[in-house]
């Protein structure tokens, strides 16, 4: 199930409690999906919230991928990316480089994330 407005900017984050991806449209959770692909993506992570979570062991949404939903299979050239509370920002898993943008991001049912042309 995709969000109701596929042309609207969509934010997605991994919901560890539900073991799925929560999808926000216009600031409200519109759906919880097993997998999703987004194009023209910006990867956001609030450093202040990350540090607060580390200090207080609290859990809040402070890292997400924003983009436009699309239907497209993941190619073999996609690079695995991820976010860890212990490190600032989203990173490529192969090099450890921080990334903030990607042409397309695939959020998979197993909780992994893959990007095409991550920058």
């Amino acid at each position: 199930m995709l969000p109701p407005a596929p042309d609207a900017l969509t934010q997605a984050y991994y919901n560890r409690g539900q073991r799925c991806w929560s999808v926000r449209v216009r600031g409200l959770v519109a759906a919880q999906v097993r997998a999703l692909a987004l194009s023209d993506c910006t990867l956001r992570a609030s450093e202040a919230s990350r540090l607060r979570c580390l200090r207080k062991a609290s859990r809040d949404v402070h890292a997400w991928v924003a983009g436009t939903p699309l239907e497209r299979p993941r190619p073999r050239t996609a690079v695995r990316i991820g976010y860890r509370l212990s490190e600032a920002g989203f990173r490529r898993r192969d090099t450890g480089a921080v990334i903030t943008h990607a042409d397309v991001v695939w959020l998979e049912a197993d909780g992994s994330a893959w990007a095409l042309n991550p920058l």
Side-chain angles (χ1 to χ4, degrees):
M1 174 180 177
L2 287 176
D7 59 336
L9 184 65
T10 298
Q11 297 175 344
Y13 60 91
Y14 191 70
N15 186 321
R16 291 179 7 178
Q18 300 290 323
R19 292 190 176 172
C20 64
W21 296 94
S22 290
V23 179
R24 292 190 298 205
V25 176
R26 296 180 184 94
L28 299 173
V29 175
Q32 291 183 325
V33 297
R34 304 291 300 154
L36 177 68
L38 299 170
S39 67
D40 193 23
C41 297
T42 302
L43 293 87
R44 302 281 193 148
S46 168
E47 181 64 7
S49 292
R50 183 184 80 83
L51 294 174
R52 187 170 44 253
C53 286
L54 283 172
R55 279 193 314 269
K56 297 182 180 182
S58 65
R59 290 175 50 180
D60 67 350
V61 177
H62 61 275
W64 62 87
V65 179
T68 305
L70 82 152
E71 296 284 334
R72 182 174 168 188
R74 176 170 49 100
R76 291 180 163 258
T77 57
V79 176
R80 184 145 186 207
I81 62 171
Y83 175 80
R84 290 189 180 121
L85 187 59
S86 60
E87 302 173 325
F90 283 86
R91 295 178 182 266
R92 290 178 61 132
R93 290 291 176 230
D94 58 349
T95 64
V98 174
I99 59 171
T100 58
H101 294 85
D103 291 343
V104 182
V105 172
W106 289 266
L107 306 171
E108 301 287 345
D110 64 359
S112 66
W114 300 78
L116 192 61
N117 301 324
L119 303 172

